[in-house]
Amino acid sequence: MKTPVDIAITGAAGQISYSLLFRLAAGEFLGESQPINLHLLEIPPAMSALEGVVMELNDCAYPLLNRIITTTDPKVAFDNVDYAFLVGARPRGAGMERKDLLQCNAEIFMVQGKALNDVANRNVKVLVTGNPANTNALIAINNAPDLNPKNFTAMTMLDHNRTINQLAEKSGVKATDIKNVIIWGNHSNTQYPDIHHAKIKGQDALSLVENNWFINEMIPTIQQRGAAIIKARGQSSAASAATAAIKQMRLWALGTPASDWVSMALVSDGSYDIEKGLVYSFPVTVNDGEINIVQGLEINKLSLEKMKLTEKELREEKEDVKHLFS
Amino acid sequence: MKTPVDIAITGAAGQISYSLLFRLAAGEFLGESQPINLHLLEIPPAMSALEGVVMELNDCAYPLLNRIITTTDPKVAFDNVDYAFLVGARPRGAGMERKDLLQCNAEIFMVQGKALNDVANRNVKVLVTGNPANTNALIAINNAPDLNPKNFTAMTMLDHNRTINQLAEKSGVKATDIKNVIIWGNHSNTQYPDIHHAKIKGQDALSLVENNWFINEMIPTIQQRGAAIIKARGQSSAASAATAAIKQMRLWALGTPASDWVSMALVSDGSYDIEKGLVYSFPVTVNDGEINIVQGLEINKLSLEKMKLTEKELREEKEDVKHLFS
C-alpha cells in the first residue's frame, strides 16, 4: 500500500464538503490505490456537526481512509499537508456590502495563508473554492511568502464545466465532444466564458452556434448559473462545486489530457497583458504538476473588452484587501 | 464505448439521492468505462428541486452521463431499467404511529412494485433503501409477480459497514482488517449485528474484544447509530447511506471478494429457520449476479434469540401490510 497523502479541507462541516469528503475517501481524487488522511478544519460552532460527518465517514469503512483529524486550528489542519481544499468562507449576510464580505473573508484567508506558509508541505497544492475565490487566493498567497505562489489556484473549473454543458446542450452533442472552452478572469458575474477557440467534434464552435446566442444567451447564463440553481433547488450548488474541485485538483496533480486544456485561476505572469500578480483565470495545461498558461491565442476586440472588464473587478478587489498583505 | 445501462432512482431530489447521483455519474458504481442513463422519479412538489439537481448534474459535464430522464410516473422511471435504487420513502411525521408509517410507505412500494413488474428489464436489480426497507421490499416483491423475488434486496450494508467500523475502532485496526461480520434481520433497532464469526486480522473477533462490550455496547451502538448521527449532524445519514447503497449494488452486480461475505436483506428461503418469504438480512456471497446465503454457520443460544426477535418484528410488519399484496 502506498504512503497516505495528507489532504486538508476547510469548512469541513458545510454543504460542499459534505459532497466532497466521501468522494475523496472513495478514491475519486487520486485513484483506488492511494490512501488518504483527512485534516478537517471548522469553526467552533460547527464542530458538533463535523463530528457527525466524521461518524458517517467512519461508517463507510472506506479502505483508503487512513486517518481523520478534526480541529479548529489552521496550523493543525495544514500540518504537512500535500493538498488543501479551502472550501470554507463566510457567506454574504443580510445588509452586508460587497466590501464587507471581501473584508471578513480576507481575514480568514490571511490566517490560513500564514498557517500554510508555516506548516504545509513545501509542495502543497492549495485550491481556493470559498468565495470571492480569486481574491481569497490572492490574500492567502500574499500571506505565504515562503511558498511559491504557483502552489495556489482558485476554482473556475465549475464555470468551465458549465460552459462545456451549455455548448453541448445547444449543439446537441455530448460533453466529451467539446474541447478548448475558456474561462477568463474572476469567478464572479464578470467572468468571461469564451468559445472563440472551442471545438465541437473538432469543428470551430462559432461556425456551428450563432454569435448572437454566444453573446446574448450563453455568457449571461454562465455568469448567472449559480443564482439559477439556487432558484430551482432552494440551495446553492454543492455537489457540482465538489465535482469541479475534485476535477481541478486531480488534473493539477495528475496532468491534463493532451487533446484539451482547462481553466484555472492562478497568479498572472502578465500573459495576455493581464496585470501581474492578480489571481486571474486562464486556459492552462498541466504537466508533472506544473501549470502552464496556454500562450499565443488570438484575442479579438470583443474578447479583449470582456477580459479587461473582469480584470478591472479583480484590481478593485485587490485595492480593498491589500492592507492585509504581509 | 459500452452501451449505457439504465438506472432508476426514486426520491431523486432528496438528500440521499443528492449524495448518490453524482457518484453514480462519476463512475463509482460500475467503473469509469460504463456510461449510464439516469431515470429520476419524484413527486410533483419536488420536481422544481429535481430540476436544480439535474442542472447541477449537467454542469459536471460527466463523460459517463449519457442521458437524464425526470418524471413523476413510475412506469416511465422504470422503463427497461437494469438497476433501481428505491430511495424515496415517506418520513415519519409528527403524531404518526408506526402502523401509519408502514401503511403510507406500503402504498408507495405497491405502486412501484407493479410498475417494475410491468416495465423493468427482466433482470433488473432493485435495491430498497427507503424505510421501513425490508417490508417495503416485501410489498414491492409481492406486487411484482412476473419478476423473480431474487431481483429485490433491501439495504443492510450501512449497518454492516457500521459494524466493521465499531469493531475496527475498538480493536485499533483498519476497516480492511475486519472480515465476516453479519447483520441479521430487519434494518431497524431490532437488527442483530453479529460478530461470532468475524475475524480481526484473521483471528476470531471474540477472542480479541470482550463479550460484554459486544453485547452491551456494540449492539446498541449499531442499533441506535442513525439517531446518534441525527443528534450530532442535525440531519439524518445521507452520504454514508449513499456509500452503502453503491457498495451493495456494486457487489451485487460485480460479485463479492473471495475472502469475505457481506449482509443483504433478501427473501428468506427458510435458511437458519427464518420464515420463508420474509425479507430478512443474511450473510451472503454473490457470484455472477446470483446472491447465495452463507450456509452452515453455527448459531448459539444468544444469537438464536436475537435472530428470532428481529424475525418477530418482520412478521408483525408483514401482518400490517399483507392486504396490499397482489
Side-chain angles (χ1 to χ4, degrees), chain B residues 163-164 166-168 170-171 173 177-182 193-214 218:
Chain B
T163 305
I164 290 172
Q166 288 301 316
L167 204 49
K170 179 67 178 178
S171 47
V173 302
D177 294 326
I178 309 287
K179 309 268 184 216
N180 302 122
V181 307
I182 304 172
D194 178 8
I195 62 169
H196 283 97
H197 306 277
K199 304 282 180 190
I200 301 173
K201 291 188 171 181
Q203 289 192 266
D204 288 346
L206 279 170
S207 71
L208 297 169
V209 300
E210 289 184 8
N211 204 49
N212 181 45
W213 172 81
F214 163 54
M218 196 206 85

Side-chain angles (χ1 to χ4, degrees), chain B residues 25-305:
Chain B
E28 210 181 302
F29 167 36
L30 291 169
E32 292 184 15
S33 66
Q34 178 57 65
I36 63 172
N37 297 325
L38 292 175
H39 301 226
L40 307 181
L41 182 69
E42 257 302 351
I43 53 176
M47 287 306 277
S48 160
L50 182 59
E51 202 42 56
V53 174
V54 170
M55 289 164 76
E56 282 205 75
L57 279 165
N58 287 330
D59 282 352
C60 293
Y62 283 120
L64 297 177
L65 185 49
N66 184 63
R67 193 158 46 99
I68 304 176
I69 296 160
T70 62
T71 180
T72 57
D73 180 350
K75 288 206 180 177
V76 174
F78 298 140
D79 188 27
N80 211 27
V81 293
D82 305 293
Y83 301 95
F85 290 86
L86 305 191
V87 178
R90 180 94 171 267
R92 194 164 189 153
M96 194 185 262
E97 296 290 324
R98 181 171 151 283
K99 214 168 164 165
D100 303 332
L101 182 71
L102 269 168
Q103 202 58 39
C104 65
N105 275 295
E107 283 162 25
I108 295 170
F109 286 83
M110 181 178 66
V111 171
Q112 294 184 1
K114 285 183 198 301
L116 284 161
N117 188 65
D118 290 350
V119 301
N121 185 317
R122 297 300 90 181
N123 297 315
V124 65
K125 290 181 166 58
V126 183
L127 172 61
V128 179
T129 300
N131 286 317
N134 297 52
T135 295
N136 287 342
L138 184 75
I139 302 267
I141 290 166
N142 281 284
N143 282 281
D146 303 334
L147 291 173
N148 188 331
K150 289 187 160 182
N151 292 17
F152 294 79
T153 67
M155 188 169 93
T156 47
M157 189 65 77
L158 179 53
D159 311 296
H160 186 95
N161 280 345
R162 286 167 170 171
T163 305
I164 290 172
N165 174 48
Q166 288 301 316
L167 204 49
E169 283 190 9
K170 179 67 178 178
S171 47
V173 302
K174 299 196 186 307
T176 45
D177 294 326
I178 309 287
K179 309 268 184 216
N180 302 122
V181 307
I182 304 172
I183 304 298
W184 298 102
N186 199 3
H187 174 64
S188 74
N189 58 17
T190 69
Q191 69 176 268
Y192 172 41
D194 178 8
I195 62 169
H196 283 97
H197 306 277
K199 304 282 180 190
I200 301 173
K201 291 188 171 181
Q203 289 192 266
D204 288 346
L206 279 170
S207 71
L208 297 169
V209 300
E210 289 184 8
N211 204 49
N212 181 45
W213 172 81
F214 163 54
I215 294 169
N216 296 313
E217 292 193 43
M218 196 206 85
I219 294 176
T221 295
I222 302 299
Q223 290 173 334
Q224 294 153 28
R225 185 69 166 177
I229 284 169
I230 291 174
K231 195 175 168 202
R233 269 194 80 218
Q235 293 184 67
S236 60
S237 315
S240 56
T243 298
I246 294 170
K247 183 176 172 183
Q248 182 158 338
M249 197 69 110
R250 182 179 166 89
L251 293 176
W252 190 2
L254 304 180
T256 46
S259 59
D260 201 0
W261 61 58
V262 293
S263 303
M264 298 186 190
L266 72 164
V267 173
S268 170
D269 60 358
S271 292
Y272 298 98
D273 204 25
I274 299 302
E275 180 175 304
K276 270 192 183 182
L278 290 178
V279 174
Y280 190 96
S281 180
F282 292 98
V284 303
T285 56
V286 182
N287 204 345
D288 280 339
E290 185 83 24
I291 302 174
N292 299 296
I293 296 171
V294 176
Q295 299 295 336
L297 297 174
E298 201 178 314
I299 306 295
N300 69 14
K301 185 161 166 286
L302 172 91
S303 291
L304 190 63
E305 271 172 24

Side-chain angles (χ1 to χ4, degrees), chain A residues 28-195:
Chain A
E28 209 181 302
F29 167 35
L30 291 170
E32 292 184 16
S33 66
Q34 178 57 63
I36 63 172
N37 297 324
L38 292 176
H39 301 225
L40 307 181
L41 181 69
E42 258 301 352
I43 52 175
M47 287 307 277
S48 160
L50 181 58
E51 202 42 56
V53 174
V54 170
M55 289 165 75
E56 284 205 74
L57 279 166
N58 286 329
D59 282 352
C60 293
Y62 283 120
L64 296 177
L65 185 49
N66 184 65
R67 193 157 46 97
I68 304 177
I69 296 159
T70 62
T71 181
T72 57
D73 180 351
K75 287 205 179 177
V76 173
F78 297 141
D79 188 26
N80 211 27
V81 293
D82 305 294
Y83 301 95
F85 290 87
L86 305 191
V87 177
R90 179 94 172 267
R92 194 163 189 153
M96 195 185 261
E97 295 290 323
R98 182 172 151 282
K99 213 167 167 167
D100 303 331
L101 182 72
L102 269 169
Q103 202 60 38
C104 63
N105 274 296
E107 282 163 25
I108 295 170
F109 286 83
M110 180 179 67
V111 171
Q112 294 185 359
K114 285 183 198 301
L116 285 160
N117 189 64
D118 290 349
V119 300
N121 184 317
R122 296 302 88 181
N123 297 314
V124 65
K125 290 180 166 58
V126 182
L127 172 60
V128 179
T129 301
N131 285 320
N134 298 51
T135 295
N136 287 342
L138 183 74
I139 301 270
I141 290 165
N142 283 284
N143 282 279
D146 303 334
L147 290 172
N148 188 331
K150 289 186 160 183
N151 291 17
F152 294 79
T153 67
M155 189 168 93
T156 48
M157 188 65 78
L158 179 53
D159 311 296
H160 187 94
N161 280 344
R162 285 168 170 171
T163 305
I164 290 173
N165 174 49
Q166 288 301 315
L167 205 49
E169 283 188 10
K170 178 67 179 177
S171 48
V173 302
K174 299 194 186 307
T176 45
D177 294 327
I178 308 288
K179 309 269 183 214
N180 301 121
V181 306
I182 304 172
I183 304 299
W184 298 101
N186 200 3
H187 173 64
S188 75
N189 59 16
T190 69
Q191 69 175 269
Y192 171 42
D194 178 9
I195 63 170

